[in-house]
Amino acid sequence: MIIPKGSKLSPEQLAEVEKIAENFDCSILEIQGHNRCVYAILGDESREVMFKRIAGLHFIHRVDMIESPYKLMDRRSGLSDHSVKIGENKVGSVAPFIIGGPCTIDPDNPNLFLETAHALKEAGVNALRGGVWKPRTNPYSYQGDVKALEIILQAREETKLPIDLEVMDGEQLKIAHEAGVDVLQIGTRNALNYSLLKEVGSLTAGSKVSVLLKRGRHMASPNEFIAAAEYLVAAGNPNILLCPRGTTPILDGYRNHPDESITPLLKNRTWAPVIVDPSHSVGHADFVKACSIASIAYGADGLCIESHIEPSKGIGDDPKQAITPAVMKELIDACQMVWSNRYQTDF
Ligand code: PEP
Ligand code: MN
């Protein structure tokens, strides 16, 4: 990891660094953070001579060798002061960042989504979510419809809130990216799809687009989750949101095993904001508020919550796990109270 003295290397300086790296069969990847660029050495970086030559250049501040399977995501990396911005908000700065909206946008009833979006804005959410394409366990369940993209774009236009939606393959990725979607979600089923992660990272490299990476429900290890995020950053996009959303259920009663308690571990090991998804964790609207409050107490920077103006009219997960905008308002107030009084960790 190369940290320049200035905020960015000039093309000539970059060429000089690249030339040294090439002599050692390595290449250089520029990663654009909000405050400055850092440069990752790709290849076998454990060459002392290469390190010394690069570190000796007058425009280089430091070269760090981070012994970690996720050297860019690591808190000790040059990206540790990178902040992720969605719209005008720096995630995790003054209040929990709340993403809200239905599991699935009903393409035949646009008003349900639009009314939900306005009610959620009133309730205080910071971004809207809604499924356009859906990963369904049952192949005969509703799979999504590109028509829903127009609806969420219209909601953004009307509410001025940034939007988040899931993409599952390269084709959907291109459509969503061209439409200017602010946050691309990689769901639990694709959380280990390394080809897709690389594609998302490189297509959005250097842009303002954020990626909300859900934790795979089968993932036992926090490091495996962080390494998946590393793929996105190593492909060029450091705007990462880590999203625990429950793992394989071991409690009879919850949809998944709530894993908000992983938050301090993630914050201890990485610099990335943590946005917990309580809806898929517990899978039942009545338990979402408790899981949200617990997540904030654990140090989460925000929440991604399924919400629908009339859950019983929803499709996908909405009838069972979406909360109403009125409950969302209560939940945001309760979370804000916990946020303001929570123990300040200093990892
Ligand atoms: C969703 O957000 O609606 C969804 C399908 O998420 P997950 O990948 O967590 O199941
Ligand atoms: Mn859902």
Side-chain angles (χ1 to χ4, degrees):
M1 165 86 57
I2 304 166
I3 297 147
K5 281 191 182 146
S7 60
K8 192 177 167 86
L9 294 178
S10 68
E12 297 74 30
Q13 291 169 338
L14 180 58
E16 206 171 333
V17 173
E18 280 172 336
K19 205 158 155 223
I20 298 174
E22 264 165 37
N23 287 334
F24 293 87
D25 294 325
C26 289
S27 58
I28 302 293
L29 174 80
E30 179 176 278
I31 299 164
Q32 172 80 59
H34 275 302
N35 306 322
R36 63 166 158 188
C37 281
V38 295
Y39 300 81
I41 302 171
L42 307 180
D44 177 10
E45 57 171 2
S46 61
R47 313 284 188 90
E48 222 186 310
V49 185
M50 173 176 71
F51 259 67
K52 284 192 175 148
R53 284 196 194 155
I54 296 175
L57 296 168
H58 67 91
F59 46 84
I60 297 298
H61 173 54
R62 283 200 327 262
V63 186
D64 291 338
M65 178 142 87
I66 297 169
E67 302 266 7
S68 161
Y70 40 85
K71 48 179 170 275
L72 298 169
M73 288 294 292
D74 196 292
R75 293 191 87 235
R76 294 164 296 173
S77 86
L79 286 167
S80 58
D81 61 353
H82 179 65
S83 46
V84 180
K85 263 180 106 181
I86 301 178
E88 291 312 305
N89 282 304
K90 219 192 238 182
V91 177
S93 53
V94 291
F97 189 91
I98 310 290
I99 304 173
C103 172
T104 307
I105 302 167
D106 182 346
D108 299 324
N109 291 294
N111 282 342
L112 283 178
F113 186 80
L114 295 171
E115 282 168 29
T116 301
H118 283 284
L120 286 173
K121 183 175 181 175
E122 275 296 292
V125 309
N126 307 101
L128 297 172
R129 61 150 286 151
V132 171
W133 302 283
K134 294 306 300 179
R136 304 306 300 276
T137 310
N138 183 337
Y140 306 112
S141 299
Y142 174 73
Q143 303 283 312
D145 187 329
V146 71
K147 265 179 12 198
L149 181 60
E150 291 306 316
I151 301 171
I152 194 168
L153 289 171
Q154 185 181 339
R156 176 172 65 181
E157 185 59 36
E158 290 180 13
T159 62
K160 307 293 177 223
L161 290 174
I163 53 172
D164 159 39
L165 57 92
E166 175 169 359
V167 294
M168 295 180 289
D169 59 40
E171 188 59 31
Q172 295 168 2
L173 168 64
K174 280 195 199 85
I175 297 172
H177 189 51
E178 270 163 30
V181 170
D182 306 274
V183 182
L184 295 168
Q185 175 176 313
I186 302 297
T188 196
R189 289 137 177 109
N190 274 309
L192 292 181
N193 181 343
Y194 300 125
S195 312
L196 181 63
L197 295 174
K198 284 189 217 170
E199 213 176 333
V200 173
S202 56
L203 190 71
T204 59
S207 76
K208 288 188 174 156
V209 174
S210 303
V211 184
L212 184 135
L213 177 67
K214 297 233 186 164
R215 183 179 183 210
R217 75 194 278 275
H218 49 277
M219 274 186 205
S221 118
N223 280 0
E224 193 177 20
F225 182 27
I226 300 169
E230 180 85 5
Y231 269 91
L232 293 159
V233 188
N237 188 347
N239 301 321
I240 304 298
L241 307 159
L242 294 173
C243 181
R245 50 77 72 201
T247 53
T248 309
I250 49 175
L251 292 174
D252 177 18
Y254 288 150
R255 178 177 177 185
N256 288 295
H257 184 67
D259 60 347
E260 67 278 354
S261 59
I262 196 184
T263 302
L265 256 182
L266 297 173
K267 296 196 76 71
N268 181 233
R269 293 180 193 179
T270 81
W271 46 263
V274 175
I275 302 282
V276 175
D277 168 353
S279 306
H280 292 85
S281 291
V282 295
H284 195 293
D286 289 348
F287 306 140
V288 167
K289 196 167 159 190
C291 186
S292 301
I293 291 170
S295 306
I296 299 301
Y298 267 116
D301 299 280
L303 301 162
C304 177
I305 303 176
E306 289 189 343
S307 178
H308 192 292
I309 198 155
E310 244 181 293
S312 61
K313 288 196 181 156
I315 42 183
D317 295 328
D318 290 322
K320 58 180 189 290
Q321 71 190 30
I323 58 170
T324 61
V327 174
M328 179 71 96
K329 166 117 188 50
E330 288 170 23
L331 182 158
I332 292 176
D333 290 346
C335 286
Q336 183 60 51
M337 234 155 67
V338 176
W339 174 286
S340 310
N341 292 295
R342 75 184 175 188
Y343 169 69
Q344 290 304 313
T345 47
D346 183 20
F347 293 127

